[in-house]
Structures are given as C-alpha cells and as structure tokens.
C-alpha cells in the first residue's frame, strides 16, 4: 500500500494515480497536531490497515492536484548510515570526514534533525548567498514499524513498516577549513526530502535487486543496486538498536552510492527507486539567515 502525507498533513491512500483522503481514520485530536498523524497510523497499523484498504473504493483526486509532504513529517528519530557503498568510499577526497576506507560497520551511524525533512511537493532550499558545496546523496529511506531494542539482524526486517526515496543533502567541509559538525551540515530545513510516499514493506517485497537512481537537470548522476550496500538494512537496524531503542515512524537514511555531486539554485533533481516511486524537486535559495554559511 502507498500512503502519502499531503497539503496540511492529511493522510492519503495512493492508488492508480489517485489520492483517497483517509485522514478521518486518525483520532480527531490530531487536528491540533497534524504532523504526528502518520506516526499514529504506523503505530496502529494492524487495526488501521483494513480501514485504509476499504477507502480504496471511494472517490479520489489526481495525485498531481495535492502538495505532497514528507512521507512521515515528524519521525521520532532520523538515523543515517555513512560510507555504505564501496565505490562511494574516497570519492569526495579531502572533503570526507570518514577516514582510511572505514565503513558504517566501524564508524556506526549519525543523526539528522527531524525538522530537515520535506516532501515531493516542496523545493530544496540551499542557504542564501553561500559559496559552499551542497551535494545530493541518493538513498533508500527505511521507515520503522514497531519499537525494539537489541534487535538481531536475522529478526530485523520484521521491524520495517515501509520504504521511501530520500535525498541526504549535505554541506561539504572545505579542505583545510574548520569542520562544522556533520549533524549541522546535513540538517538545514529541506535537506532531507522523503517521498513521494511511503510504500509498505509487503508491497515492496525483497529490496536487494531494486535499483535507485538520481538525476540532475535530466542527466543521471547516481544509479545503484540496493543490495550492494556494505552494511545492509538488517545490519543497520541491529547496529542502531544496539545503541538506542527504535520507535514506530523512525527513518533510516541507508547510505549513498557513488556519484554524489553538487546542487545549485535553479537545478531540478529527480530521485527514483524501483517499486517505490520517484519525485522531482526544484532547488532554490533559502531566505537569508542571521548566521550565514
Ligand atoms: Mn548520506
């Protein structure tokens, strides 16, 4: 099943190019906290799934007519896996903070601010007037379906609710200059587009043979097989849950393949993953911040 968050954080079932509004299935109290609705839907999926399926028969409207927001706009936690494809290791040279060919297996994960998420209907906004380099990273988003701690990799796939496309935007360090913390460089608002929707794990099936791809202004920059990750999805969940409990709605950015490169205002970036979907985003300049970068 494909679930979308749209307009003012309404919940929709996406099928055959139409969005059916199922917002009413979440408790009315979420009217005052709408960005949390998807967390509730995920947490209560075993009882909600059948009701969402019933909505498939109702009237819908074309998906092009709504503004798609982040597939889960307020995840409790956003984890990210660095250095996770062999061919990506070393490609950013002195701008990399992962040294000596080390991978996610040695260095673990990092965090992105949950507030950095945006959706398929929203532009990417780069800091105004900046001379820094801002790179795209094409990643599979894994969305957690149930809480757990100390999960072994052989049990890990049961904890997955679904998948989405994710761009891990990154402000690169300047060689020889002071290095800001990675969490800052990857947490500007709109630096984590997740969409166009969330596809439940049962509908996606086996992920290893799926391919991800990213293009800029119509020119392909990244293309990879999901199964070529160094630390696979199950091992990532084992790693993360060995440190901290995972929660329904959490997002894991599973790591980028080779081909990362800069984005500038005016670019159009498109990301797609087999069986999940694709989204095309405009790149703009953000409003001037009091602290420039
Ligand atoms: Mn990344």
């Amino acid at each position: 099943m494909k679930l979308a968050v749209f307009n003012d954080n309404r919940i929709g079932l996406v099928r055959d190019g139409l969005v059916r509004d199922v917002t009413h299935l979440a408790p009315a109290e979420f009217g005052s906290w709408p960005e949390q609705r998807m967390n509730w839907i995920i947490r209560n999926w075993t009882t909600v799934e059948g009701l969402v399926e019933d909505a498939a028969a109702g009237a819908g409207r074309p998906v092009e007519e709504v503004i798609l927001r982040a597939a889960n706009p307020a995840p409790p936690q956003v984890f990210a896996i660095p250095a996770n494809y062999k061919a990506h290791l070393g490609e950013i040279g002195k701008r990399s903070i992962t040294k000596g060919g080390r991978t996610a297996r040695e260095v673990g994960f990092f965090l992105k601010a949950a507030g950095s998420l945006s959706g398929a209907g929203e532009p990417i906004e780069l800091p105004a007037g900046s001379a820094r380099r801002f790179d795209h990273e094409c990643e599979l988003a894994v969305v957690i379906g149930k809480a757990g701690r100390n999960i072994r990799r052989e049990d890990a796939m049961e904890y997955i609710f679904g998948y989405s496309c994710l761009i891990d935007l990154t402000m690169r360090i300047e060689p020889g200059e002071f290095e800001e913390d990675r969490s800052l460089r990857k947490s500007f608002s709109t630096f984590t587009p997740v969409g166009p929707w969330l596809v439940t794990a049962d509908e996606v099936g086996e992920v290893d043979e799926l391919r991800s791809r990213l293009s800029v202004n119509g020119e392909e920059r990244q293309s990879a097989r999901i199964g070529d990750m160094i630390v696979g999805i199950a091992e990532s969940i084992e790693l993360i849950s060995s440190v901290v409990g995972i929660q329904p709605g959490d997002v894991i950015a599973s790591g980028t393949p080779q081909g990362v490169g800069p984005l500038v205002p005016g670019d159009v970036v498109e990301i797609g993953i087999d069986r999940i979907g694709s989204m095309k985003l405009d790149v703009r300049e953000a409003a001037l911040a009091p602290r420039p970068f």
Side-chain angles (χ1 to χ4, degrees), residues 80-82 110 137 139 168 170 186 253 255-256:
I81 308 295
F110 62 91
E137 299 188 350
E139 309 198 11
D168 176 14
T170 303
K186 287 174 171 274
T256 185

Side-chain angles (χ1 to χ4, degrees), residues 92-97 99 130-135 170-180 185 262 293:
I92 55 172
K94 290 195 169 68
R95 293 176 191 268
S96 177
I97 60 169
K99 309 290 186 201
S130 180
R132 300 286 292 269
R133 177 173 145 178
F134 298 93
D135 279 0
T170 303
M171 181 172 75
R172 294 291 175 209
I173 60 172
E174 293 300 314
E177 299 283 322
F178 177 73
E179 298 177 11
E180 299 98 342
R185 293 185 290 101
F293 287 90

Side-chain angles (χ1 to χ4, degrees), residues 4-10 67-73 118-122 194-197:
V5 176
F6 68 98
N7 296 354
D8 51 351
N9 292 305
R10 303 188 72 78
I67 300 169
L68 291 170
R69 306 297 180 185
N72 184 11
S118 58
E122 300 167 281
V194 181
W197 36 65

